[in-house]
Amino acid sequence: MKQKIILRILPLLFCLFSLSSCQKDEDKKEDLLPGLWIQQSITEDGESMLLADDEKDLSLLIEANGVYRTYAKNGLKEKNHFGAWSVTNDEWLELLGDTWRLHTNAIALPAANQWAFNHVPNRFTILSVNANELQIRIKTSVGERRYFAFFVEKPRPVVTTQNVEQLVEDFQTFKTYIFTFKKG
């Protein structure tokens, strides 16, 4: 009885295996990411943003070994950052990078201690990637985007009574950013 069942299931399994092996594998997004990417544009909640000089010159090198590096020039000074990357579910680009956040009660601290350095993961949705273009999206706070060193890290201001409310608001205001890169 068991042999008859096995003999009936075996041809079905063979057919299923044959059909699945005949399907063409699509390129995985992870396989398309390695290479040099040059930033072309940024949108904030669907509106084009003006790129600062260092954002115009931003290069993102994604290496196949799971490391990424960014290069940006601001005048004669070059800024470099690096971190780890991975792709989850062929849908999300996970980037581990440096970021700065305000300490609680930063205004009461000396200027050198007002900001906390963190090395944290960030998850971008891969909107599209092909041999020529990469487009990724993230919903994050204005402050997080400004002080996350993935692309271009802005200088951190000294927290004063005049700017503390605006800085706190920046970390509480969330927007959607889309970054577009062309293959270099």
Side-chain angles (χ1 to χ4, degrees), residues 49-103:
M49 296 179 68
L50 291 175
L51 297 179
D53 288 340
D54 49 1
E55 291 174 320
K56 290 176 190 172
D57 293 332
L58 180 84
S59 298
L60 167 64
L61 177 63
I62 298 178
E63 299 180 34
N65 65 1
V67 173
Y68 75 86
R69 302 171 197 284
T70 61
Y71 305 93
K73 288 184 182 176
N74 189 354
L76 297 175
K77 186 178 178 186
E78 187 171 299
K79 298 177 184 179
N80 300 314
H81 296 284
F82 65 91
W85 71 273
S86 64
V87 174
T88 305
N89 294 339
D90 206 38
E91 185 176 354
W92 296 296
L93 176 59
E94 311 269 353
L95 298 167
L96 185 64
D98 300 336
T99 189
W100 294 91
R101 294 201 175 108
L102 282 174
H103 271 292

Side-chain angles (χ1 to χ4, degrees), residues 113-138:
N113 298 336
Q114 292 178 332
W115 292 87
F117 175 78
N118 299 287
H119 201 67
V120 297
N122 282 268
R123 177 179 273 188
F124 292 79
T125 302
I126 301 171
L127 298 177
S128 65
V129 62
N130 59 42
N132 302 313
E133 185 178 85
L134 167 64
Q135 197 171 55
I136 55 178
R137 176 184 66 213
I138 190 168

Side-chain angles (χ1 to χ4, degrees), residues 134-153:
L134 167 64
Q135 197 171 55
I136 55 178
R137 176 184 66 213
I138 190 168
K139 183 165 187 151
T140 191
S141 73
V142 172
E144 185 73 20
R145 186 196 86 77
R146 188 172 293 143
Y147 302 114
F148 179 53
F150 172 65
F151 296 118
V152 176
E153 176 185 359

Side-chain angles (χ1 to χ4, degrees), residues 36-40 60 131-134 180-184:
L36 181 65
W37 298 93
I38 311 300
Q39 184 166 265
Q40 299 296 301
L60 167 64
N132 302 313
E133 185 178 85
L134 167 64
T180 302
F181 295 86
K182 296 283 183 196
K183 195 74 165 235

Side-chain angles (χ1 to χ4, degrees), residues 9-65:
I9 293 175
L10 197 56
L12 289 172
L13 291 174
F14 179 75
C15 288
L16 286 174
F17 178 73
S18 296
L19 288 174
S20 67
S21 65
C22 291
Q23 293 175 346
K24 184 183 176 204
D25 288 334
E26 288 184 25
D27 286 335
K28 288 185 176 185
K29 292 176 183 173
E30 182 175 7
D31 297 335
L32 296 169
L33 287 171
L36 181 65
W37 298 93
I38 311 300
Q39 184 166 265
Q40 299 296 301
S41 66
I42 304 172
T43 64
E44 180 183 73
D45 286 343
E47 299 290 323
S48 292
M49 296 179 68
L50 291 175
L51 297 179
D53 288 340
D54 49 1
E55 291 174 320
K56 290 176 190 172
D57 293 332
L58 180 84
S59 298
L60 167 64
L61 177 63
I62 298 178
E63 299 180 34
N65 65 1

